[in-house]
Amino acid sequence: MFNQIDFGKRVKSFRLGRGYSQKEIALRIGISEQAVSKWENGECLPDVYNLKLLAQILRTSVDNLLDTEMQNPEKLMETIMIGGARFDIVEKPETVFAGKIIYAKDFTNVDSFHSAVDSVTEEEKQTAFDLLLEPVLPIYDINLSVNFWLAEKTRAYGFVREVMTMEQPDGVETYKMPASLFIRAYTDKGTAQLISREQCEIWELFAYIRDFFMPAHGFKMAENGAQELEVFDTFEHKSGYAYMPVVRV
């Protein structure tokens, strides 16, 4: 995933390598020196036009400025097809999530916990998201299910996004997930047909993965702190990826 903090570091590195000051870059592009400073500090990104000018001035390519090799992206290990359904086995690096997280231990019973999760409003989620520091780009809304296959009092549920740091402001909860192996599946027609549906939601794939796919292909649930993830790729949360943390048997 692209991260604007790393983008800013690359811009600064290229600028210093060419011997330019922030003021010189600003004058050549026709913007304020403060704007260049914000780019380098990862506070914001240039628009497409200024990005092209910036690359020309620094005598590099836009691709080099947008390079994401520093991001340690998840690594595809294997793909298993079942009919028209695709299941990827991926290694996901250590990941920090932040947003609104609700813990079962704070409630008298599990029903109260689930009621609290269901009562979280879009406004409450957005309030937490607006406070996030160093969000990873592109931004995806993620539902984080903590220990839902274990004892009830250990459970938590989060409405989160991926960030680069655990240091977040008041009003934001964080969860650091260790590096782990995951089974990843998408909510397309092929996977929906496995559960006899024309369309399916992400959470509906978890039961199929756990009860059928995992035993058939030699996996079991991981116990290293990695958790189930619903990663939505639309603002309406109509589709996205199910991530199930696993180890090979």
Side-chain angles (χ1 to χ4, degrees):
M1 291 184 178
F2 179 79
N3 176 264
Q4 65 190 48
I5 297 295
D6 289 336
F7 170 81
K9 292 177 180 178
R10 286 192 293 277
V11 171
K12 184 176 181 178
S13 177
F14 277 113
R15 175 177 64 79
L16 294 176
R18 303 305 185 201
Y20 290 129
S21 67
Q22 290 183 344
K23 183 176 181 179
E24 288 172 320
I25 295 294
L27 287 172
R28 288 171 178 269
I29 295 179
I31 56 174
S32 69
E33 187 176 346
Q34 184 183 29
V36 178
S37 177
K38 287 184 176 181
W39 295 346
E40 293 189 356
N41 290 331
E43 297 177 32
C44 63
L45 297 168
D47 61 27
V48 174
Y49 178 72
N50 285 338
L51 178 63
K52 184 176 181 180
L53 291 178
L54 181 63
Q56 290 176 346
I57 293 167
L58 296 176
R59 299 195 297 279
T60 188
S61 67
V62 171
D63 285 342
N64 279 339
L65 288 179
L66 296 178
D67 181 62
T68 57
E69 289 184 0
M70 299 171 64
Q71 294 301 306
N72 295 320
E74 59 192 35
K75 181 180 179 181
L76 178 63
M77 306 299 293
E78 182 183 0
T79 295
I80 298 173
M81 300 296 297
I82 301 178
R86 171 175 175 151
F87 294 86
D88 292 327
I89 314 303
V90 299
E91 285 185 349
K92 191 173 180 65
E94 180 180 271
T95 308
V96 178
F97 298 112
K100 179 75 173 177
I101 304 177
I102 299 171
Y103 292 88
K105 62 181 177 59
D106 296 328
F107 297 87
T108 56
N109 56 63
V110 71
D111 289 335
S112 298
F113 164 66
H114 287 298
S115 294
V117 171
D118 292 339
S119 65
V120 175
T121 66
E122 292 301 318
E123 183 178 358
E124 289 177 298
K125 299 175 193 176
Q126 194 58 53
T127 297
F129 292 156
D130 289 342
L131 295 172
L132 297 184
L133 299 178
E134 298 186 29
V136 172
L137 300 178
I139 291 173
Y140 295 102
D141 289 345
I142 299 169
N143 287 355
L144 170 70
S145 299
V146 178
N147 292 347
F148 265 59
W149 62 92
L150 300 176
E152 291 178 350
K153 281 297 183 181
T154 69
R155 295 177 185 176
Y157 196 84
F159 305 95
V160 298
R161 289 175 177 172
E162 186 176 345
V163 294
M164 292 295 293
T165 176
M166 290 286 288
E167 301 298 323
Q168 296 292 329
D170 292 341
V172 175
E173 291 86 30
T174 59
Y175 185 88
K176 181 183 285 188
M177 191 178 70
S180 186
L181 194 68
F182 283 84
I183 295 171
R184 180 182 68 192
Y186 188 71
T187 55
D188 55 16
K189 187 174 181 180
T191 51
Q193 289 178 341
L194 292 177
I195 57 175
S196 302
R197 300 281 299 276
E198 284 296 317
Q199 295 179 321
C200 68
E201 297 188 43
I202 298 176
W203 62 267
E204 294 179 288
L205 297 179
F206 288 138
Y208 178 86
I209 294 172
R210 183 173 53 247
D211 297 338
F212 298 100
F213 183 89
M214 287 168 54
H217 296 278
F219 294 96
K220 67 177 183 178
M221 294 296 295
E223 298 180 0
N224 60 355
Q227 305 295 336
E228 294 174 336
L229 305 173
E230 298 174 71
V231 181
F232 298 99
D233 63 354
T234 63
F235 290 115
E236 300 82 10
H237 295 181
K238 296 295 186 182
S239 62
Y241 291 90
Y243 281 76
M244 180 76 77
V246 296
V247 294
R248 295 183 186 273
V249 178

